[in-house]
Amino acid sequence: MNLMSTWFHIARSLLAPSASDCLICGKQTQVTSEIPGVCKSCLILIPWIRNPRCSKCGRHVGCPDCSRSSDPVPIICNRSAVAYTSVMREVLGRYKYRGDERLAPVLGLMLDRAYMVLQAERGQPQLDVGSRQIHSKLSTTKSKSKRISRASLWQADLLIPVPVSDARQAERGFNQAERLADVLSRCRGIPQLPLLVRTHHTGKQSFKSRAERLADMKRAFAVNPDPATGAQFSHWLESHGRQTQSQPLQIVIIDDIYTTGSTIRACAETIHVLTGRLGCTAEIYSLTWARS
């Protein structure tokens, strides 16, 4: 091989995208920039929930749970990024139970897709008369109109991760919901706060019936007694003037998987009690990485 050919091969290897192991299939291939660490083939096969069939819980198939229940639900709705297929179950298991830390940003960026679905569904807030007149005048200017649209999109005020018990924290070494909230917080610039604690260990929920899960979750959560967390929340309310405004807080609960919704509902009920005690109201949503 002559010198020119050698330099050509070196230049081509430097300019070509480097191959690495896909975090889903494990094959050495070129990963995407859309979800770093995931190859194009796996990205195409991810079972995204783009159009939920159940407007309440975000299920991608028919939902008997929401249709048969007449109980009041303390959240506006849940939205999940993916359907909990066998492949997604394996991915979550590798992260949650086998400690594959490389998956944390991947799952968090996938959760951001659910946030975008929720944001699109909530739409833009009503404009006042002056704003509508301004918007009308600028309607012929495409770029300016787009800037107004982006600025006026619905945005969450606060992310609250579902807490795990001390036993589970010790077992795994981390709270997966908190890690998901961290990634979403950085992506969207929304603060996250560990406002809740779990009052008792409820054991693995995956082996329990719906009735058992609902019973387990009664009084399973409480407001975090840590004075620093309470002070941080109070300061956040004051700095945003939320205690004196008529607009309700837009709070999003974060968890890894939604099954019966009992965990989310128990958390939401506790948050409603807290905000009511502080003299403000809240509209509560939930985002989960997967919907079973």
Side-chain angles (χ1 to χ4, degrees):
M1 184 180 289
N2 59 37
L3 184 61
M4 183 63 71
S5 296
T6 301
W7 279 110
F8 173 77
H9 282 288
I10 291 173
R12 187 171 65 177
S13 65
L14 289 173
L15 292 173
S18 59
S20 60
D21 291 344
C22 171
L23 294 177
I24 293 181
C25 67
K27 296 177 181 178
Q28 189 171 65
T29 181
Q30 292 178 10
V31 297
T32 66
S33 58
E34 190 173 352
I35 303 288
V38 177
C39 72
K40 185 176 181 180
S41 297
C42 287
L43 184 65
I44 292 172
L45 295 175
I46 289 175
W48 301 109
I49 302 178
R50 295 185 176 90
N51 299 297
R53 283 189 62 182
C54 180
S55 61
K56 180 58 70 174
C57 72
R59 206 170 196 168
H60 52 293
V61 293
C63 179
D65 296 338
C66 292
S67 60
R68 74 187 176 193
S69 176
S70 58
D71 295 334
V73 181
I75 65 169
I76 302 297
C77 65
N78 170 77
R79 290 296 174 263
S80 303
V82 300
Y84 198 44
T85 61
S86 58
V87 173
M88 295 296 98
R89 185 182 296 109
E90 170 62 22
V91 170
L92 183 62
R94 281 169 43 206
Y95 173 61
K96 191 171 174 179
Y97 304 118
R98 298 195 287 279
D100 191 343
E101 296 283 341
R102 300 173 303 163
L103 287 166
V106 173
L107 301 186
L109 288 174
M110 291 171 73
L111 181 69
D112 186 58
R113 293 287 192 93
Y115 182 83
M116 287 191 284
V117 169
L118 178 62
Q119 191 176 48
E121 288 180 354
R122 297 309 296 168
Q124 300 176 20
Q126 290 290 329
L127 301 173
D128 59 28
V129 174
S131 298
R132 282 197 296 268
Q133 289 172 347
I134 294 172
H135 187 70
S136 177
K137 290 176 183 178
L138 295 176
S139 60
T140 56
T141 308
K142 189 174 181 181
S143 61
K144 291 182 180 180
S145 179
K146 281 187 175 180
R147 283 199 295 272
I148 289 177
S149 177
R150 282 196 295 268
S152 61
L153 281 173
W154 177 90
Q155 179 85 338
D157 292 318
L158 186 66
L159 307 176
I160 299 179
V162 171
V164 296
S165 65
D166 291 341
R168 194 69 73 220
Q169 180 84 27
E171 176 187 326
R172 296 176 191 157
F174 64 96
N175 175 358
Q176 69 279 359
E178 200 169 81
R179 296 280 181 86
L180 289 170
D182 277 337
V183 177
L184 189 59
S185 176
R186 290 195 297 271
C187 285
R188 297 290 166 177
I190 307 166
Q192 75 118 331
L193 192 62
L195 202 59
L196 304 176
V197 293
R198 196 175 285 253
T199 58
H200 58 272
H201 181 61
T202 54
K204 289 187 180 295
Q205 299 295 297
S206 55
F207 302 111
K208 297 178 181 178
S209 68
R210 176 181 171 81
E212 288 171 331
R213 293 185 193 205
L214 292 171
D216 261 1
M217 287 301 127
K218 287 184 178 179
R219 295 177 293 279
F221 301 99
V223 177
N224 193 335
D226 180 13
T229 301
Q232 190 176 353
F233 183 59
S234 296
H235 176 72
W236 178 81
L237 284 174
E238 292 172 5
S239 64
H240 287 74
R242 300 316 295 262
Q243 286 176 293
T244 58
Q245 291 181 4
S246 58
Q247 293 286 342
L249 292 166
Q250 303 296 299
I251 293 178
V252 177
I253 299 170
I254 304 294
D255 205 2
D256 56 346
I257 182 169
Y258 186 111
T259 304
T260 64
S262 55
T263 298
I264 297 293
R265 282 194 292 272
C267 288
E269 287 166 357
T270 304
I271 295 168
H272 277 303
V273 171
L274 172 64
T275 53
R277 197 164 63 222
L278 294 173
C280 53
T281 58
E283 290 183 347
I284 302 178
Y285 307 81
S286 65
L287 290 177
T288 60
W289 175 73
R291 177 66 172 94
S292 68

